[in-house]
Amino acid sequence: MKAIRRFTVRPVLPEALHPLSDLARNLRWSWHAETRDLFQSVDPEHWSASDGDPVRLLGGVPPRRLAELAEDRRFLRRLAAVADDLRDYLTGERWYQTQSSELPAAIAYFSPEFGITAALPQYSGGLGILAGDHLKAASDLGVPLIGVGLLYRHGYFRQSLSRDGWQQEHYPLLDPNELPLVPLRETDGTPAQVALALPGGRALRARIWLAQVGRVPLLMLDSDVEENDFGERGVTDRLYGGGSEHRLLQEMLLGIGGVRAVRTYCRLTGHAEPEVFHTNEGHAGFLGLERIAELAETGLDFDASLEAVRAGTVFTTHTPVPAGIDRFDRELVAHHFGPDAELPGIDVERILGLGMETYPGGEPNLFNMAVMGLRLGQRANGVSLLHGHVSREMFSGLWPGFDPDEVPITSVTNGVHAPTWVAPEVFRLGARQIGAQRTEDALTVGGSDRWDAVADIADQEIWDLRRVLREQLVAEVRERLHASWRQRGAGTAELGWIDGVLDPDVLTVGFARRVPSYKRLTLMLRDRDRLMDLLLHAERPVQIVVAGKAHPADDGGKRLVQELVRFADDPRVRHRIVFLPDYGMAMAQKLYPGCDIWLNNPLRPLEACGTSGMKAALNGCLNLSVLDGWWDEWFRPDFGWAIPTADGTATDDDRRDDLEAAALYDLLEKRVAPRFYERGRGGLPDRWIEMVRQTLTHLGPKVLAGRMVREYVERLYTPAARSHRALSAEAARELAAWKARVRAAWPRVAVDHVEASAATTSAELGTTLTLRVRVALADLAPDDVEVQAVSGRVDSQDRIADATCVPLKPAGGPDLEGRWVYEGPLSLDRTGPFGYTVRILPTHRLLASGATRDGRCPPGFRPLHLRTRIGEGEDVFRAASEAVMTWAMHRAIGAAISPTGPRRAGPDGRVGSAGAGPVRAGRGQGVSCHCWM
């Protein structure tokens, strides 16, 4: 029989044990070993049965045991010590509180998923785990972050396998009352809610749940409330579930409803209002629209509100491929906004204009959430150095006419929260070496370039630690494999072979991640005979542990899982290679420490960062990876191996996979396995241990989430807070009016004449030329622009590389024709082919970029890009629209002149020589620029 109604019956704790409730409701326990040890001692059997979840534990402990603990003075002393430690952690001064007063009063951090702990399954993969680590590191550092997400009643799916290895999905219902959450309540005790207007007079309401992540509150919106109709109740049913409209409603709730939830939380708790809003991927991009609407209610017009909102917004992109971005049909978005729906005070066309792909190569009828994020964020970043480059290429269409390197997207390389991912045994080894407090500080705050104390750890200690961790993984794998085969329908009598799966003394390779095609789960199967030889080698065997989930709608990914599972089911190798279903945080915390090698073989450069290898490295695991994501940035032969890539344009997909798989086999067979198994004089693998030592010494400090969050604070949050404070209502109106004036005048701005003090085609290193430039500024004044000389080495097409920009200064007032003359020096500081160009950029004291000197600007202007080509008897040029005017003139210093470069015939029909003195440029000539308006 099934119950007709379900209740959550909470235990009544004796008064002496009340602190246990506070400890269970603060998710710091998920990364604080002493708190977890305390809960385990409450009832070890129930602790194991609850999968290490204190809320479930306390709900299952018999009252008799609670009464015993209430009289146990030793336990009460431990409880008091842990409770006092949490109180000090929540109220004491931390890194952020020791910094300058310019820091933001608060930052709101929006993400569609958060991976805090397996006890709160609201994540699918790397994006959510990164968001969870961001919150935890912010808590450790004392950063006043407010997390904002959705509460999915089914979370992400649980994975199992059919008998033939096909992925099966299960969606267990989550009861918020059984999770480490509390409802946010109004002052009268009623649940706090937010509401969105839907077409047809309907409404989407959501309750606000609060998860306390150390010092950081995480607000989670839940649409499963009685006030909603059936359809609206299901908006937050599943993470990344449903069709386009379902996803659109989820993202409207996350962005618009999330801002309203933050306002509600601050009103009820007195928390400081955020000065900075951080959008973790485009899913929450609608938050900018809600903030514009808030300002509009104060009387600020759309353009001024947009400037004010952009000033304090940070956008982080995580995807290296357009297919990974949410895009919606224009009409669907228009249907959900306007007079009869949400944000009725904003013109729908202005909303659409923020997200439409109105740029070369875009699809004009699609609304792109990442494009909206970039247009609403004054500061944007990718998540590794390489990913920053890929992102600039991918989004360069928003800045037509600019070189990709000029696109204003920087990078902050991801990090991982060490206290979450470092095995207790690794932490204890560090504590024995330098003390528990110093070890904790090193793992959380970071700040050093090297962990030199690792050098003092004996080789035997490192090797013993690695074997203990490998042994624990073997036990974990056997237990999980047994459960998986039972789910697949196997009887106990069939499963005796599992007791011999894996060996704690064999080189162990780990591979675990989501299963999109670009991550190439089955690359290792490319030559199965060769893989079998590696697995079954008589002297240097290799064993592999694999895990990963394919998206429920991705049948191609499911086929990859099935292919791997079927190979691993082969009786010849099943003791050496295993696939573990239902990859999640609980599994990962055993898998990373227990592996000797962490394998990553994506298609370069499609891995934005790849933080799983970071977690492995913190436990002394060595990386074997394609040079992609973070590994491209920090790889050194001292602590790992790089898989060569065959990414030439003449190589087809199959040939590339063959070549890279062969390279992988070669590395394992000829370099990795021999180093693991060779022994020195003391019977230890000395060279392997040294690589482990180098990994911990050099990679450890780099891969920390503490380092990552400090970078966000210093490079993005603090500048955004300064911009936010500067953009008062009056300043925002001023900036919006200035932009309108510049846009109107820009078609008539021109570089009219350029001359240099030397007319030679070669010069000596160290020579300084004087440039004299005449420009037409139309209705603008010199204070509205900056005229620059841009110089550097040039290639055979006269493209400038490694450019240096030097501002030119006005040499006097306008002449009778209204032209201004600018002058300045040009230093010939490099040998070889050298070139320069002259350009004009708009400048304003309130801009965060362009002429504000840091190259960061949003995609506001499409640059006017006029190019001339010589040799066809006429000028050939292309015009886009407004922006920075550039007249290009190239000189080859120390080499024969290359008379290409933009030029234009003068009134007499002749073309000036780039190497023969003054050249007159026609109005509007030669434009490309950095105008981030």
Side-chain angles (χ1 to χ4, degrees):
M1 292 185 295
K2 288 190 175 182
I4 63 171
R5 191 170 181 185
R6 177 189 176 107
F7 295 90
T8 297
V9 181
R10 296 190 180 278
V12 178
L13 294 175
E15 185 175 353
L17 301 183
H18 280 180
L20 283 175
S21 180
D22 295 332
L23 291 170
R25 292 292 173 185
N26 191 308
L27 293 172
R28 188 199 181 209
W29 61 257
S30 67
W31 72 89
H32 190 248
E34 287 84 353
T35 307
R36 290 197 305 274
D37 290 345
L38 177 75
F39 279 115
Q40 183 177 25
S41 69
V42 168
D43 190 322
E45 184 178 341
H46 277 87
W47 176 250
S48 178
S50 69
D51 294 323
D53 178 353
V55 174
R56 288 174 56 195
L57 167 74
L58 295 180
V61 176
R64 183 179 61 198
R65 174 58 178 163
L66 294 175
E68 290 175 1
L69 291 173
E71 301 296 328
D72 186 335
R73 288 185 294 176
R74 183 179 178 188
F75 179 83
L76 294 177
R77 285 194 299 270
R78 287 182 64 199
L79 174 59
V82 173
D84 287 344
D85 183 76
L86 176 61
R87 191 177 306 110
D88 291 343
Y89 175 86
L90 297 177
T91 59
E93 188 177 80
R94 305 192 74 79
W95 172 83
Y96 195 84
Q97 287 68 44
T98 66
Q99 306 304 301
S100 74
S101 58
E102 285 191 326
L103 300 183
I107 303 105
Y109 180 88
F110 287 64
S111 179
E113 50 175 305
F114 286 91
I116 309 294
T117 168
L120 188 61
Q122 301 291 305
Y123 60 92
S124 69
L127 178 68
I129 300 299
L130 181 278
D133 282 5
H134 196 110
L135 263 58
K136 295 175 193 175
S139 173
D140 290 340
L141 294 170
V143 180
L145 216 65
I146 302 173
V148 185
L150 301 180
L151 179 66
Y152 305 96
R153 285 301 180 102
H154 294 280
Y156 201 52
F157 71 92
R158 302 293 302 272
Q159 179 195 46
S160 64
L161 300 172
S162 68
R163 185 71 189 218
D164 65 351
W166 188 255
Q167 173 179 293
Q168 297 177 316
E169 297 93 30
H170 313 274
Y171 292 90
L173 179 65
L174 302 174
D175 181 352
N177 295 292
E178 297 176 353
L179 299 174
L181 305 170
V182 295
L184 184 65
R185 297 188 180 277
E186 296 286 351
T187 53
D188 62 1
T190 59
Q193 289 191 355
V194 297
L196 272 65
L198 298 180
R202 297 174 297 125
L204 170 61
R205 298 175 179 84
R207 173 185 284 194
I208 306 169
W209 293 91
L210 174 63
Q212 195 64 41
V213 186
R215 297 167 70 116
V216 172
L218 171 58
L219 311 178
M220 310 184 79
L221 302 182
D222 171 20
S223 70
D224 190 11
V225 297
E226 293 182 0
E227 295 90 336
N228 282 334
D229 292 338
F230 178 77
E232 283 71 57
R233 292 188 73 158
V235 166
T236 56
D237 56 353
R238 297 177 181 178
L239 178 58
Y240 302 140
S244 291
E245 184 166 23
H246 189 84
R247 291 285 289 274
L248 178 63
L249 288 174
Q250 284 189 343
E251 298 186 2
M252 288 177 64
L253 182 59
L254 175 59
I256 299 170
V259 173
R260 294 172 186 175
V262 168
R263 304 303 187 205
T264 301
Y265 176 79
C266 292
R267 170 175 57 83
L268 293 173
T269 64
H271 194 289
E273 291 280 355
E275 295 184 284
V276 176
F277 285 76
H278 184 175
T279 307
N280 191 41
E281 253 313 339
H283 306 280
F286 288 121
L287 71 85
L289 295 180
E290 170 65 8
R291 295 176 60 215
I292 289 172
E294 289 178 334
L295 292 173
E297 291 180 358
T298 69
L300 211 58
D301 64 41
F302 182 91
D303 289 327
S305 298
L306 174 60
E307 299 302 335
V309 165
R310 289 189 60 256
T313 302
V314 174
F315 173 71
T316 297
T317 175
H318 290 261
T319 179
V321 289
I325 298 169
D326 275 349
R327 302 154 86 202
F328 300 103
D329 183 81
R330 178 187 191 280
E331 299 306 318
L332 177 62
V333 177
H335 177 64
H336 282 278
F337 289 96
D340 298 324
E342 190 50 71
L343 304 183
I346 302 179
D347 181 7
V348 173
E349 290 302 320
R350 299 302 301 266
I351 293 173
L352 293 173
L354 291 170
M356 302 307 293
E357 297 184 0
T358 51
Y359 50 81
E363 296 188 36
N365 201 47
L366 289 182
F367 187 94
N368 185 310
M369 295 298 290
V371 167
M372 179 173 62
L374 288 166
R375 286 176 173 155
L376 283 170
Q378 196 173 72
R379 291 165 177 82
N381 69 284
V383 292
S384 69
L385 200 62
L386 178 60
H387 181 236
H389 173 76
V390 170
S391 299
R392 289 187 288 275
E393 293 269 2
M394 186 167 72
F395 293 111
S396 61
L398 285 168
W399 291 270
F402 294 99
D403 291 337
D405 286 345
E406 295 181 316
V407 169
I409 300 174
T410 185
S411 63
V412 175
T413 302
N414 282 344
V416 297
H417 185 245
T420 296
W421 301 109
V422 166
E425 293 80 4
V426 177
F427 181 90
R428 286 195 289 268
L429 179 61
R432 289 199 300 271
Q433 198 68 27
I434 61 173
Q437 188 58 55
R438 285 184 62 194
T439 302
E440 183 177 326
D441 290 344
L443 294 177
T444 53
V445 180
S448 62
D449 296 329
R450 298 160 51 97
W451 287 345
D452 289 323
V454 175
D456 298 326
I457 302 175
D459 285 2
Q460 187 69 55
E461 283 191 274
I462 291 176
W463 188 240
D464 289 347
L465 169 68
R466 294 299 313 148
R467 192 187 189 284
V468 166
L469 296 174
R470 202 181 308 116
E471 196 170 37
Q472 290 178 357
L473 175 61
V474 169
E476 179 83 4
V477 166
R478 291 174 181 175
E479 182 178 337
R480 288 181 177 272
L481 196 61
H482 189 277
S484 173
W485 273 98
R486 292 289 290 165
Q487 282 184 319
R488 295 174 69 181
T492 303
E494 300 177 65
L495 301 179
W497 60 273
I498 290 179
D499 292 337
V501 167
L502 304 190
D503 183 328
D505 292 310
V506 167
L507 172 64
T508 304
V509 178
F511 183 101
R513 51 192 37 87
R514 292 184 302 110
V515 191
S517 59
Y518 79 86
K519 291 182 182 283
R520 296 193 293 185
L521 170 73
T522 56
L523 185 70
M524 66 181 74
L525 303 183
R526 201 73 183 174
D527 184 338
R528 299 186 181 206
D529 290 339
R530 193 164 180 193
L531 177 59
M532 280 192 173
D533 289 343
L534 286 167
L535 296 173
L536 303 176
H537 195 284
E539 297 176 356
R540 298 189 298 273
V542 174
Q543 58 194 16
I544 306 176
V545 182
V546 185
K549 293 180 177 180
H551 188 279
D554 181 10
D555 282 350
K558 292 180 184 180
R559 282 191 288 272
L560 295 177
V561 170
Q562 186 179 47
E563 185 181 355
L564 194 290
V565 170
R566 286 178 170 175
F567 180 83
D569 286 351
D570 187 328
R572 293 174 294 175
V573 295
R574 64 188 181 184
H575 64 299
R576 286 283 186 258
I577 181 169
V578 298
F579 181 89
L580 301 180
D582 207 28
Y583 178 50
M585 290 187 71
M587 180 194 298
Q589 286 171 320
K590 294 290 187 181
L591 187 53
Y592 298 135
C595 292
D596 301 295
I597 289 292
W598 196 256
L599 175 63
N600 191 24
N601 47 230
L603 288 172
R604 187 180 190 272
L606 301 184
E607 185 79 272
C609 186
T611 54
S612 60
M614 294 179 171
K615 298 159 193 162
L618 278 172
N619 290 281
C621 176
L622 308 183
N623 275 267
L624 170 62
S625 175
V626 166
L627 288 176
D628 203 0
W630 75 276
W631 191 236
D632 179 77
E633 189 172 341
W634 290 331
F635 161 72
R636 278 173 40 185
D638 296 346
F639 41 68
W641 292 270
I643 302 171
T645 52
D647 50 7
T649 56
T651 306
D652 62 39
D653 291 351
D654 283 343
R655 175 67 174 157
R656 177 202 56 217
D657 286 354
D658 286 341
L659 291 172
E660 294 186 16
L664 170 60
Y665 300 138
D666 282 345
L667 283 168
L668 284 170
E669 178 184 0
K670 299 174 182 177
R671 297 179 63 186
V672 178
R675 181 158 297 193
F676 179 85
Y677 285 105
E678 74 176 10
R679 295 294 184 267
R681 292 182 179 178
L684 297 176
D686 301 331
R687 292 204 300 159
W688 186 275
I689 293 171
E690 182 57 27
M691 291 185 75
V692 172
R693 196 188 305 278
Q694 292 293 321
T695 292
L696 293 172
T697 299
H698 296 284
L699 280 184
K702 286 184 170 68
V703 302
L704 297 178
R707 184 271 311 156
M708 173 189 72
V709 171
R710 283 189 287 106
E711 284 194 39
Y712 273 108
V713 169
E714 293 162 356
R715 295 175 49 201
L716 294 171
Y717 293 164
T718 300
R722 284 198 296 261
S723 295
H724 165 78
R725 293 165 193 155
L727 262 290
S728 63
E730 181 180 351
R733 290 190 185 98
E734 175 193 339
L735 182 58
W738 175 83
K739 287 189 177 182
R741 182 164 60 85
V742 172
R743 287 189 179 100
W746 208 253
R748 293 174 288 125
V749 173
V751 176
D752 191 60
H753 183 82
V754 177
E755 63 182 78
S757 60
T760 63
T761 60
S762 63
E764 293 182 354
L765 181 67
T767 300
T768 298
L769 307 181
T770 298
L771 292 184
R772 186 176 176 86
V773 180
R774 189 169 71 167
V775 300
L777 298 183
D779 298 328
L780 302 181
D783 287 346
D784 294 321
V785 301
E786 182 172 284
V787 180
Q788 290 182 344
V790 183
S791 63
R793 285 197 180 89
V794 293
D795 63 15
S796 59
Q797 282 81 43
D798 283 344
R799 290 179 298 226
I800 298 175
D802 192 20
T804 299
C805 298
V806 176
L808 306 179
K809 302 298 183 184
D815 61 19
L816 295 177
E817 297 178 344
R819 304 298 197 264
W820 294 79
V821 174
Y822 282 74
E823 292 182 345
L826 176 66
S827 177
L828 308 183
D829 57 358
R830 275 162 276 192
T831 57
F834 190 92
Y836 68 86
T837 185
V838 176
R839 66 184 182 182
I840 306 173
L841 300 85
T843 181
H844 190 281
R845 61 184 175 79
L846 294 174
L847 285 181
S849 56
T852 58
R853 323 9 140 178
D854 68 356
R856 317 225 73 55
C857 305
F861 282 1
R862 292 164 56 87
L864 176 61
H865 191 136
L866 305 181
R867 294 189 185 277
T868 59
R869 185 178 304 144
I870 305 306
E872 300 177 1
E874 61 179 356
D875 295 331
V876 180
F877 60 89
R878 176 175 64 83
S881 61
E882 315 121 329
V884 177
M885 312 293 299
T886 302
W887 180 84
M889 177 177 175
H890 298 290
R891 292 180 181 275
I893 303 299
I897 184 158
S898 174
T900 55
R903 285 162 290 173
R904 184 180 176 89
D908 59 358
R910 293 180 299 170
V911 175
S913 167
V919 177
R920 183 175 300 275
R923 183 168 305 192
Q925 166 148 4
V927 178
S928 63
C929 75
H930 262 123
C931 166
W932 310 134
M933 310 279 292

